[in-house]
Amino acid sequence: MCPYSKTSNRGGTTTNILVTGGAGYIGTHTCIALIEAGHTVVVADNLSNSKRESIETIKRITNQEIPFYEVDISDRQAVERIFETNHIDGVIHFAGLKAVGESVEKPATYYENNLISTLVLVNSCLKYGINRFVFSSSATVYGENEVPFVETMERYPTTNPYGETKAMCERILTDIAKANPLFSVSLLRYFNPVGAHESGLIGEVPTGIPNNLMPYLTQVAKGKIDDLSIFGNDYPTIDGTGVRDYIHVMDLAEGHVAALTYLKKGAHIYNLGTGQGTSVLQLVKAFEQANGVTISYKMVPRRSGDIACCYADVDKARRELQWIAKRDVITMCKDAWRFEQNNLHQEV
Ligand code: NAD
Ligand code: UDP
């Protein structure tokens, strides 16, 4: 048995969950959290941004068999075959393209992939009487709003097609829930997921040079990249650098288990964040302190499209999902670094 295997069933009802995009970063961690909570999972992923080995690693960590389908979720026949051959109680829909910059260059690809897959999946759910649905949305739908971001705020026009696909999917799923009284959907708005499973066996594997801060930091620490460019030190924040709400990916994963447990009829939005803002410089210092390394950095102009400050109001998730994030920034930095040191497959 793998030393990281946990067998606890926390007393909930066992359900069989289809996890689309389950070979990806957040999907793999969520499969582990679901299995640890006593559920079983079926994974569907076209491996466009992930590898089949990640499924083997989940099996190793959890000691569970995982039916895996290499399919595109936009392929209606393939999706229906999954529902024909498995008893599925609910769906968590992670599958999607997520690179903001790429979405500006290839909007048609992003709208097609993210919208069609969601429509095919939800229509198949309705056909097969599957009424429990959890959707991966993003804090990006708040745009540049007052902090903290609260679920009751109007959606703001986002600055890129990726963000628009999230806002559109939220609207589509909300209309579907209105028209189908048995349908329950949670729209989970993630803040900034970082870190890795405590085993160091799974984590985020960016393609090429990372865009996001934490994978960039780990690659500077490893010497793959010379230094970090800090995008702007003239924001109206504690030290002039951008502030974000970093959330440990295992906390986020556990948030999905809670969302499934407390699903209720209709469409309901929940922020999944910590409620704490951390600046770029604060994260750099935390990373150095957590891991005993030095990060060399330089200040450069702001990155186009970035906002100054973003953090969540987490009260609704705490009240309605009985969930709060437990892991602190130091743990996020330690776990991200452990995975980077173990991971032999990353290329820059
Ligand atoms: P990821 O790229 O690691 O995982 C997504 C998975 O979906 C990949 O394995 C990819 O191969 C698969 N996929 C993409 N399109 C597919 C399709 N048409 N059919 C089947 N599989 C497909 O990304 P992630 O970071 O794990 O993100 C998961 C979800 O959460 C995405 O929808 C993303 O937009 C959303 N999200 C991510 C973040 C973040 O910072 N990571 C923040 C907010 C929201
Ligand atoms: N950032 C940075 N250098 C980098 C990558 C990111 O200074 O190489 C900053 C970015 O400007 C933002 C914060 O780090 O203030 C988080 O950026 P990330 O891309 O991780 O998340 P997002 O901007 O999508 O919230």
Side-chain angles (χ1 to χ4, degrees):
M1 181 185 281
C2 173
Y4 298 100
S5 168
K6 293 182 185 156
T7 50
S8 67
N9 182 340
R10 294 182 192 133
T13 316
T14 297
T15 57
N16 195 30
I17 306 301
L18 173 64
V19 182
T20 77
Y25 174 44
I26 305 172
T28 46
H29 291 82
T30 301
C31 286
I32 294 172
L34 286 166
I35 292 166
E36 284 180 356
H39 301 286
T40 51
V41 300
V42 172
V43 171
D45 197 304
N46 66 2
L47 303 180
S48 59
N49 196 35
S50 51
K51 296 211 166 71
R52 186 180 284 270
E53 295 90 82
S54 62
I55 304 297
E56 296 308 313
T57 312
I58 306 173
K59 290 184 192 170
R60 194 174 146 205
I61 291 172
T62 60
N63 243 355
Q64 289 262 331
E65 270 314 304
I66 297 172
F68 174 66
Y69 294 85
E70 185 178 343
V71 296
D72 195 300
I73 304 301
S74 311
D75 178 345
R76 187 165 188 138
Q77 281 183 337
V79 170
E80 292 195 353
R81 263 197 304 276
I82 297 175
F83 290 149
E84 295 278 356
T85 45
N86 297 273
H87 174 86
I88 300 290
D89 299 293
V91 171
I92 305 184
H93 180 36
F94 291 107
L97 298 174
K98 64 164 182 176
V100 171
E102 189 183 55
S103 80
V104 176
E105 287 156 27
K106 300 179 186 168
T109 305
Y110 269 67
Y111 284 115
E112 180 178 3
N113 189 74
N114 292 3
L115 297 182
I116 305 296
S117 63
T118 303
L119 284 166
V120 165
L121 185 63
V122 73
N123 275 314
S124 306
C125 285
L126 294 175
K127 178 170 171 184
Y128 285 83
I130 297 159
N131 288 311
R132 295 159 64 78
F133 200 97
V134 175
F135 177 68
S136 295
S137 190
S138 166
T140 192
V141 301
Y142 288 110
E144 192 146 27
N145 245 308
E146 289 281 304
V147 283
F149 295 167
V150 192
E151 291 89 342
T152 48
M153 284 173 164
E154 289 293 309
R155 281 187 207 94
Y156 211 85
T158 63
T159 53
N160 57 78
Y162 164 72
E164 287 304 304
T165 69
K166 292 298 175 192
M168 287 178 192
C169 285
E170 285 196 357
R171 283 196 283 266
I172 290 167
L173 291 166
T174 303
D175 286 345
I176 288 171
K178 268 189 211 144
N180 295 274
L182 296 179
F183 196 70
S184 306
V185 57
S186 278
L187 307 169
L188 303 182
R189 293 180 176 168
Y190 312 155
F191 282 68
N192 287 59
V194 296
H197 186 256
E198 60 177 353
S199 63
L201 297 174
I202 56 166
E204 188 173 12
V205 186
T207 317
I209 296 178
N211 289 313
N212 296 116
L213 181 58
M214 184 65 94
Y216 208 100
L217 274 177
T218 60
Q219 297 203 8
V220 172
K222 205 168 182 184
K224 288 183 181 174
I225 302 175
D226 290 343
D227 49 26
L228 169 71
S229 295
I230 297 186
F231 300 139
N233 61 352
D234 56 352
Y235 286 109
T237 60
I238 182 167
D239 53 26
T241 66
V243 165
R244 296 291 183 273
D245 185 342
Y246 298 96
I247 173 168
H248 195 293
V249 66
M250 283 309 296
D251 277 325
L252 190 66
E254 288 161 10
H256 288 73
V257 179
L260 264 181
T261 307
Y262 293 99
L263 263 177
K264 53 186 183 182
K265 302 284 180 287
H268 302 276
I269 298 171
Y270 297 99
N271 285 342
L272 296 185
T274 64
Q276 304 292 320
T278 303
S279 75
V280 177
L281 275 175
Q282 286 173 329
L283 193 69
V284 170
K285 295 298 158 210
F287 192 92
E288 291 181 331
Q289 185 197 330
N291 298 316
V293 295
T294 302
I295 300 291
S296 135
Y297 63 84
K298 58 177 187 260
M299 296 296 176
V300 300
R302 293 180 180 192
R303 180 172 67 179
S304 149
D306 272 359
I307 59 172
C309 190
C310 163
Y311 59 90
D313 182 313
V314 292
D315 196 49
K316 187 176 178 196
R318 185 185 56 74
R319 277 186 288 107
E320 296 189 12
L321 306 182
Q322 313 283 306
W323 170 89
I324 50 163
K326 300 190 201 90
R327 297 158 178 92
D328 62 11
V329 169
I330 294 289
T331 308
M332 299 177 208
C333 292
K334 282 188 176 163
D335 290 345
W337 181 225
R338 186 184 302 112
F339 175 68
E340 174 71 43
Q341 288 174 298
N342 282 350
N343 179 22
L344 305 174
H345 304 292
Q346 291 183 31
E347 290 159 19
V348 174

